[in-house]
Amino acid sequence: MNMYKKPQVKYRQFPPVNLPDRQWPNKVFTNAPAWCSVDLRDGNQALINPMDSDRKMQLYDVLIRCGFKEIEVGFPSASKIDYDFIRTVIDEGLVPEDVSLQVLTPARNEHLDKTFQSLRGSKRSIVHLYNSTSTVQRKIVFKKDRKSIIQLALDGVYRVLDNVSKYPETDWVLEYSPESFSGTELDFALDICDAVSDVWLSEFGSNIIVNLPATVELSSPNIFADQIEWMSRNLAFRDKTCLSIHTHNDRGTAVAAAELGLLAGADRVEGTLFGNGERTGNVDLVTLALNLYSQGISPNLDFSDIEAISRSVEHCNQMQVHPRHPYAGELVFTAFSGSHQDAIKKGFTSQQSDSLWEVPYLPIDPADIGRNYEKIIRVNSQSGKGGISYILRSEYGLQLPRGLEIEFSAHVQDIADTYKTELTADNIWEAFNTEYLEASTPFSLFGYMERQNADGSCRIEATLQHNGQEVMIYGEGNGPLAAFVHGMNSTFGQNLSIVDYSEHATDSGSEATAIAYVEVKQGNEKQLFGVGSHSNITKASLLAVVSAANRLSGASACYLRHEQGG
């Protein structure tokens, strides 16, 4: 079967909400919501191989370290592993004073009784009661009218109240979810939430969470935001209610829906680390939280070591975090594009430690979440001079002149094109070392002596090997570099001239190594760079001339590309 040319005959557009005076588009974020992780329940039930007790405990520890204060730890009435796990963390005192355990239960008596048994002895627990309310489920699955669905929810609340009286040592919170809220008529969602809240609040006066889940993401995020604002405006007990949202990712916009839902009035978000969950998953709390962080708002969650968190979640879920996953993926702080690399390099150079973050293409400083700068710029055939020079500077302390950046990047691109793979920092250094620092044919420098003439000019005597033969050269000039070039020209007929020269040290102190760069022209035709390295800056500069002379004598890949304007 092929896709329909007229999909409207099979699918209908989600109806908009009549909310002409909507306020959420004018709102801005000022603080983080309350967070509830459902990794151990919603995320767990969505795994091919659900977590055993050890993996659940490891992930529980990760969530505690991240700073979650509400954690949905399981579905104890439906799973012995969940029931036993909950008993373990309570009996062994593994629940911090400021953390509330949350458990899910359907509005059915036998489930509710076992749910409360699993939580006995806890300090503060959230009982998450749900029943499905959507038009489609009422019609097809339950074959019940609105009144019957409301009564089902109320029966559940009364059973919760019966159990609460048996465990007075616990501070109980009721969370109610009209499951599939996203597919429920708003007036009916309001009626059932108000009915549940009325019964609970008449007994306790507080401690209620109304959770509005996009169990199936059916609309665009703006319509979901309208739904949340409409409910927030109309809930009978809004001032006593924590309004929560739980967005799924069927349309791929769970993060956007959650963000707009918060602007529309929600106080709390349920989701999972990296978005694991049924079908396309839940809202990704890492992305949601770090989006706030990137706007200068503390998420009140700690993702300082995002790589360690990722590894733990991958182990526990036995699912990989995608390499392009926002903030956490292996490649998200990596640039292959040459123009991007160049902009990032310049951004790092200009960034001051005490100033606002302004580095192109990087919305946050990778170091804030434990990422390494060395992984930011990587090189392949699409890369440019900026990324290559950044790697040589950050890894090996080289500060290439602009012309050398252009020349060497062409050589690296040839290598990447040939091998059709990413090049590591070691690969790039090896290519630079081979092309410039180790160029030894036909010339090698053995030694030299320099003397100052009476007129202040310099005289140099140097011993070179040329095509296997030892040769002495003599030259004069206004400095050792000019004198050496004069000696090379007079002895070998090289017709070399220095176009540009620069130098720097790669270290400080007595162990510093000098790097010299010379751009050398041969007659009116060839023009190339040479590089020399030595603890003595004069010798480094002479080695750079030798490097350039050797490269000018050969059919250098760099020269060929340079001639063509690469």
Side-chain angles (χ1 to χ4, degrees):
M1 180 181 292
N2 296 322
M3 291 179 65
Y4 282 73
K5 296 187 182 301
K6 295 182 177 180
Q8 64 269 29
V9 304
K10 188 171 185 178
Y11 305 103
R12 58 178 175 271
Q13 192 170 42
F14 197 91
V17 178
N18 182 21
L19 196 68
D21 60 338
R22 59 182 58 82
Q23 299 300 306
W24 63 262
N26 298 318
K27 300 289 182 65
V28 295
F29 287 107
T30 58
N31 57 273
W35 306 101
C36 178
S37 162
V38 296
D39 289 85
L40 298 176
R41 195 279 304 172
D42 197 343
N44 187 42
Q45 75 182 36
L47 300 176
I48 297 172
N49 298 306
M51 288 179 277
D52 57 22
S53 298
D54 289 341
R55 284 188 286 144
K56 286 198 76 162
M57 187 63 73
Q58 180 176 334
L59 188 50
Y60 174 77
D61 289 341
V62 169
L63 297 172
I64 295 294
R65 291 198 303 272
C66 287
F68 285 95
K69 304 305 180 186
E70 297 178 359
I71 301 173
E72 191 166 87
V73 284
F75 198 146
S77 64
S79 167
K80 185 178 186 305
I81 289 178
D82 283 6
Y83 185 96
D84 292 343
F85 175 78
I86 294 166
R87 291 311 318 156
T88 296
V89 296
I90 294 174
D91 292 340
E92 296 186 8
L94 302 178
V95 185
E97 289 287 315
D98 59 349
V99 171
S100 298
L101 301 182
Q102 177 171 306
V103 294
L104 186 71
T105 178
R108 290 162 55 184
N109 290 348
E110 66 276 14
H111 284 271
L112 283 162
D113 293 344
K114 190 168 185 179
T115 296
F116 274 86
Q117 291 168 16
S118 75
L119 292 167
R120 68 187 183 277
S122 61
K123 181 177 179 181
R124 185 175 189 270
S125 290
I126 303 168
V127 177
H128 185 180
L129 181 74
Y130 75 93
N131 65 304
S132 189
T133 60
S134 72
T135 310
V136 171
Q137 294 240 32
R138 297 198 317 265
K139 173 184 174 183
I140 296 174
V141 179
F142 300 111
K143 303 187 186 301
K144 291 182 180 292
D145 59 17
R146 290 186 176 192
K147 183 177 179 180
S148 299
I149 296 295
I150 290 177
Q151 190 58 52
L152 180 64
L154 292 179
D155 289 343
V157 179
Y158 287 123
R159 192 70 172 199
V160 168
L161 289 171
D162 288 342
N163 276 281
V164 163
S165 63
K166 299 175 185 177
Y167 305 96
E169 72 279 7
T170 300
D171 182 15
W172 295 105
V173 178
L174 175 68
E175 176 176 350
Y176 175 69
S177 285
E179 188 197 4
S180 297
F181 162 78
S182 48
T184 303
E185 308 93 328
L186 283 178
D187 63 325
F188 179 52
L190 181 66
D191 286 347
I192 197 166
C193 290
D194 281 349
V196 167
S197 297
D198 189 23
V199 171
W200 178 264
L201 293 174
S202 65
E203 182 73 22
F204 285 92
S206 62
N207 285 6
I208 190 163
I209 300 169
V210 170
N211 184 58
L212 303 177
T215 309
V216 181
E217 190 179 32
L218 299 173
S219 71
S220 54
N222 62 302
I223 293 180
F224 181 73
D226 283 348
Q227 291 177 310
I228 300 304
E229 182 169 332
W230 190 93
M231 289 291 289
S232 182
R233 288 190 194 184
N234 290 285
L235 284 170
F237 306 98
R238 182 65 181 93
D239 60 333
K240 298 179 180 179
T241 301
C242 175
L243 185 58
S244 176
I245 54 177
H246 182 136
T247 55
H248 277 247
N249 201 41
D250 300 86
R251 291 169 52 91
T253 56
V255 169
E259 289 184 328
L260 298 190
L262 289 169
L263 294 176
D267 309 303
R268 177 180 185 266
V269 178
E270 294 185 346
T272 58
L273 298 175
F274 310 119
N276 176 44
E278 291 278 24
R279 305 181 311 280
T280 54
N282 291 289
V283 67
D284 172 5
L285 296 185
V286 171
T287 299
L288 202 56
L290 291 178
N291 281 355
L292 286 175
Y293 182 79
S294 74
Q295 304 301 300
I297 299 169
S298 173
N300 301 323
L301 293 173
D302 186 0
F303 298 125
S304 297
D305 192 351
I306 198 67
E307 290 189 345
I309 295 169
S310 299
R311 288 193 297 270
S312 293
V313 172
E314 287 178 332
H315 168 71
C316 294
N317 288 346
Q318 297 182 359
M319 296 175 66
Q320 285 193 332
V321 174
H322 195 280
R324 297 291 184 191
H325 196 103
Y327 302 108
E330 178 189 358
L331 299 177
V332 297
F333 293 118
T334 298
F336 289 101
S337 163
S339 60
H340 291 198
Q341 291 176 338
D342 185 61
I344 291 170
K345 183 195 74 168
K346 290 173 180 174
F348 279 141
T349 301
S350 66
Q351 183 67 35
Q352 301 297 315
S353 60
D354 58 349
S355 63
L356 288 173
W357 180 253
E358 290 183 320
V359 174
Y361 300 108
L362 300 181
I364 68 170
D365 185 348
D368 290 354
I369 54 174
R371 302 295 296 270
N372 295 322
Y373 288 151
E374 289 79 12
K375 294 183 179 180
I376 290 173
I377 294 182
R378 292 161 68 168
V379 173
N380 62 15
S381 61
Q382 301 300 306
S383 303
K385 56 190 176 296
I388 294 164
S389 63
Y390 173 80
I391 286 175
L392 290 175
R393 176 171 58 83
S394 62
E395 295 281 340
Y396 303 102
L398 303 186
Q399 301 170 25
L400 304 190
R402 175 72 172 174
L404 182 53
E405 286 184 358
I406 296 170
E407 183 182 280
F408 182 55
S409 68
H411 182 53
V412 171
Q413 189 170 11
D414 283 341
I415 296 171
D417 283 337
T418 299
Y419 292 100
K420 296 179 174 58
T421 186
E422 177 191 350
L423 301 181
T424 66
D426 288 343
N427 295 147
I428 293 169
W429 170 247
E430 182 182 359
F432 185 86
N433 205 38
T434 301
E435 184 70 20
Y436 295 95
L437 295 173
E438 295 180 355
S440 59
T441 302
F443 299 104
S444 294
L445 176 65
F446 284 168
Y448 71 96
M449 291 179 58
E450 61 174 299
R451 299 174 183 172
Q452 190 171 12
N453 295 325
D455 61 359
S457 62
C458 180
R459 173 180 174 82
I460 199 162
E461 300 176 6
T463 304
L464 284 81
Q465 186 178 68
H466 178 240
N467 291 328
Q469 301 295 317
E470 189 173 299
V471 180
M472 291 289 295
I473 68 169
Y474 305 90
E476 295 187 351
N478 58 9
L481 189 62
F484 185 74
V485 171
H486 174 246
M488 291 279 290
N489 289 339
S490 59
T491 304
F492 301 109
Q494 290 287 295
N495 196 19
L496 305 177
S497 61
I498 303 297
V499 177
D500 192 26
Y501 172 83
S502 62
E503 65 184 53
H504 67 81
T506 58
D507 299 295
S508 59
S510 60
E511 301 299 321
T513 298
I515 300 289
Y517 309 97
V518 293
E519 187 173 11
V520 175
K521 189 174 184 179
Q522 189 171 48
N524 294 317
E525 299 178 0
K526 301 178 181 179
Q527 187 169 317
L528 281 177
F529 277 86
V531 183
S533 174
H534 198 269
S535 58
N536 180 284
I537 185 57
T538 299
K539 187 167 185 179
S541 64
L542 303 187
L543 288 171
V545 173
V546 171
S547 168
N550 285 330
R551 298 184 66 244
L552 286 165
S553 298
S556 168
C558 287
Y559 166 68
L560 293 174
R561 295 295 295 270
H562 193 63
E563 282 271 283
Q564 298 163 7

